Amino acid sequence: MPSKHDRYKSKYTVDRQVPGAFEGETITRRRFMTGTAHTAGAVAAASFTLPALGLALAPVFEREPHRWEIAGPVDMFPDDNYIPVVVTLAAGIGQVGKTTVYVRKHNAALDTDAYDRNPRTHPFIALSDRCAHAGCPVRWVPAAERFACPCHGGVYDILGRRVGGPPPRPLDRFFTRVSKQGLVEIGPRYSVNSELKPFSPRGPGEPLDGLGQYLYPAQFDERK
Ligand code: FES
């Protein structure tokens, strides 16, 4: 006969005098059934929660390598005017995957801000035609040296900085480089704040000054 102390300490249900206990049993059948039911419930919940979570989060981690797109020979681009070129951002989806980029050569008199004044890192300036307000295509007006948006009257200066209308930040930009063959190539898109400080790509309507830079997640899919 186990002592009172053994009765509470023993791992065997018989020693603990659990009603209906079997010899050698260490867990009550009630507890075993409860544990089994909880485990089955957790497996069932995970079977439909995890796939949904995976689908929701996959685009955040899925990032296709960017293709550098040829814009044209270096001589094609002046340093005081933009030339529009069409590049493919996402291959295989036709016109939807293409966009217009306004390209000009680096100009030491114009590109004086801290982030693009080095012509070795920014040999060409390439601005997105997508308005930073709601994404309408802007148009370069050489006589006024302005980009104009037809949708809500957004206006940008020659550097792509907002000078009128509702856009919350400057026009997005693209990295550029010159190939060994003397061709200007367009790289990944990036966004800039009002000081032209670069940030990872943001969507239309998302400001990058002040708190805005922390409120909106970066976009890595160029089709967005
Ligand atoms: S989309 Fe350009 S100003 Fe609204």
Side-chain angles (χ1 to χ4, degrees):
M1 182 75 179
S3 68
K4 190 176 176 186
H5 175 77
D6 292 339
R7 196 185 310 159
Y8 292 115
K9 278 290 183 186
S10 174
K11 66 178 181 177
Y12 296 107
T13 52
V14 168
D15 294 343
R16 300 204 304 268
Q17 296 186 351
V18 174
F22 289 113
E23 194 68 43
E25 194 179 57
T26 56
I27 184 171
T28 63
R29 287 189 288 284
R30 180 193 293 266
R31 180 171 288 184
F32 177 77
M33 292 304 291
T34 304
T36 304
H38 285 173
T39 305
V43 170
S47 68
F48 56 81
T49 305
L50 290 181
L53 206 58
L55 277 177
L57 293 180
V60 174
F61 300 103
E62 196 177 87
R63 189 178 179 187
E64 289 181 15
H66 185 90
R67 303 172 344 152
W68 285 78
E69 288 278 315
I70 295 173
V74 290
D75 305 344
M76 183 175 146
F77 303 101
D79 67 359
D80 57 356
N81 197 5
Y82 286 97
I83 303 296
V85 296
V86 176
V87 299
T88 300
L89 295 181
I93 54 173
Q95 291 300 315
V96 180
K98 296 182 188 297
T99 192
T100 298
V101 180
Y102 288 99
V103 186
R104 70 169 165 80
K105 196 173 177 195
H106 185 275
N107 183 327
L110 280 175
D111 304 308
T112 55
D113 70 272
Y115 304 104
D116 65 5
R117 67 173 166 225
N118 185 347
R120 291 206 312 179
T121 55
H122 293 80
F124 287 80
I125 305 298
L127 302 185
S128 169
D129 80 329
R130 189 171 58 167
C131 183
H133 177 225
C136 288
V138 300
R139 192 168 56 86
W140 168 240
V141 186
E145 295 195 336
R146 292 281 188 266
F147 290 92
C149 179
C151 290
H152 313 101
V155 183
Y156 304 84
D157 69 7
I158 193 168
L159 297 179
R161 296 175 301 199
R162 187 197 75 88
V163 291
R169 64 170 199 264
L171 292 173
D172 286 350
R173 295 181 165 216
F174 291 85
F175 290 99
T176 58
R177 71 183 183 187
V178 178
S179 71
K180 287 185 183 139
Q181 295 75 30
L183 298 170
V184 179
E185 295 182 335
I186 306 295
R189 175 174 68 93
Y190 62 96
S191 297
V192 293
N193 68 6
S194 58
E195 296 172 336
L196 302 185
K197 179 183 177 183
F199 287 82
S200 47
R202 299 301 204 276
E206 298 176 350
L208 274 172
D209 288 306
L211 267 184
Q213 63 188 294
Y214 307 109
L215 294 179
Y216 301 97
Q219 289 188 349
F220 294 109
D221 188 340
E222 296 293 352
R223 287 163 288 183
K224 289 178 182 171

